[in-house]
Amino acid sequence: MPLPKGYLIMKEMKKYTHSNIALITGASKGIGRAIALGLAQDGYDIWLNFKSDVKAATAAQTEIAALGRTCTLVPFDVTESECVRSALSPLLDEETPYILVNNAGFIRDSVFGLMSENDWLQVMDVHLNGFFHVTRAVVPLMQRARRGRIVNIVSASAQVGMAGQVNYSAAKAGLIGATKALARELARRNVLVNAVAPGFIATDMTSALSPQDYLPLIPQGRVGTPEDVAGCVRFLCSDMAAYVTGQTLAVNGGLYM
Ligand code: NAP
């Protein structure tokens, strides 16, 4: 059947002008899940990436649907260039997200003298190569749409330098550098790029750590919640942050000033 007249033009227009989609990596749980729910409350439909936890991702999808927004699950490993491309291509062929949050991450802590090459490489891979693969897929479309927000989740560990986290501190510090450079490249295209640096946040990632060891270091006297971080991401994605780019916003209860 022939396509209706103007179909391709309409499709191209939709691809570059649709503005209410947020793509969040590592959003099955923890900080990413809270960001997805927060942005859904702000009126965004969600493309929810995760790696392996289908049950948690499906539960987050149900919660987002209850908020009246659509949630498309997009499972892939951010370190696998080809998987990222093949998972996102069909979606990006139709629509361009307004927001990308690079949140997927993990830790492989040990003192440097005992750190294996694998632990070094895996942490670099998720935080730096993962950022590269996902962001490279989305940026040309945001540039063409001349609007977009990118938020990279980094860490106080990059700012303070945490013993036992040389790999993680280095990877997150690299991501802060990438945030600034990309912000300069994209500012004229109305694509704003910022980072959010959480301190100690209660999630699966920190469940093995004892809060009592860290509380004396935190002036506010409590560990953070995923919602504390999500609130700052929501701000950076809002019209209130229209003149903010290349910045790293700390969410750490005063742990690092
Ligand atoms: P979390 O609860 O362990 O959740 C991690 C998320 O990332 C999960 O959804 C996981 O998916 C996903 N993920 C991990 N590796 C992935 C990969 N290769 N590809 C795609 N998804 C992947 O962690 P979190 O504490 O929320 O941390 C989220 C981000 O905040 C990370 O970048 C972390 O470095 C940063 N951060 C956390 C803290 C903290 O105190 N928690 C502090 C500073 C910064 P599956 O579970 O489905 O595999």
Side-chain angles (χ1 to χ4, degrees):
M1 197 170 69
L3 292 168
K5 211 174 170 186
Y7 171 84
L8 287 175
I9 297 170
M10 290 296 287
K11 191 177 165 188
E12 283 301 294
M13 279 175 63
K14 190 178 176 202
K15 193 165 153 184
Y16 297 124
T17 58
H18 203 86
S19 66
N20 75 331
I21 293 169
L23 165 60
I24 302 134
T25 66
S28 60
K29 60 187 66 156
I31 292 169
R33 175 183 164 282
I35 294 169
L37 284 165
L39 290 175
Q41 282 169 28
D42 293 340
Y44 292 95
D45 291 326
I46 306 297
W47 293 354
L48 189 151
N49 161 257
F50 64 103
K51 184 180 168 191
S52 55
D53 196 338
V54 180
K55 199 174 159 194
T58 308
Q61 182 184 40
T62 304
E63 284 189 70
I64 289 163
L67 294 168
R69 306 311 315 179
T70 66
C71 176
T72 306
L73 299 184
V74 202
F76 57 77
D77 183 334
V78 295
T79 68
E80 302 282 346
S81 174
E82 188 47 38
C83 296
V84 174
R85 202 196 58 75
S86 62
L88 285 178
S89 283
L91 296 173
L92 294 173
D93 207 32
E94 297 293 326
E95 287 169 313
T96 299
Y98 177 57
I99 296 166
L100 164 63
V101 183
N102 287 299
N103 166 79
F106 69 1
I107 45 176
R108 288 288 177 276
D109 295 353
S110 68
V111 291
F112 190 65
L114 298 176
M115 187 172 286
S116 70
E117 185 175 350
N118 208 31
D119 284 350
W120 173 265
L121 292 175
Q122 280 190 350
V123 167
M124 293 299 152
D125 209 9
V126 172
H127 297 282
L128 290 176
N129 297 340
F131 156 80
F132 175 76
H133 296 140
V134 180
T135 308
R136 188 184 54 171
V138 171
V139 157
L141 296 169
M142 285 185 172
Q143 283 180 298
R144 252 168 270 166
R146 293 185 177 271
R147 62 200 311 266
R149 301 287 170 98
I150 298 172
V151 180
N152 299 319
I153 306 302
V154 295
S155 172
S157 180
Q159 300 168 309
V160 181
M162 288 293 280
Q165 293 195 322
V166 172
N167 50 358
Y168 184 73
S169 294
K172 292 297 199 185
L175 200 46
I176 292 174
T179 300
K180 294 179 186 181
L182 191 59
R184 286 189 193 277
E185 285 191 18
L186 300 183
R188 292 284 169 96
R189 293 296 181 111
N190 193 29
V191 179
L192 308 183
V193 188
N194 290 288
V196 167
F200 190 115
I201 309 297
T203 66
D204 284 4
M205 182 180 282
T206 51
S207 59
L209 306 174
S210 164
Q212 302 315 319
D213 296 342
Y214 292 88
L215 284 178
L217 305 173
I218 304 172
Q220 278 190 250
R222 67 168 176 88
V223 300
T225 65
E227 290 71 25
D228 288 327
V229 182
C232 288
V233 175
R234 292 167 72 178
F235 162 69
L236 287 171
C237 294
S238 75
D239 290 344
M240 288 184 288
Y243 199 51
V244 181
T245 197
Q247 305 305 310
T248 299
L249 181 49
V251 189
N252 61 28
L255 171 72
Y256 175 80
M257 299 179 182

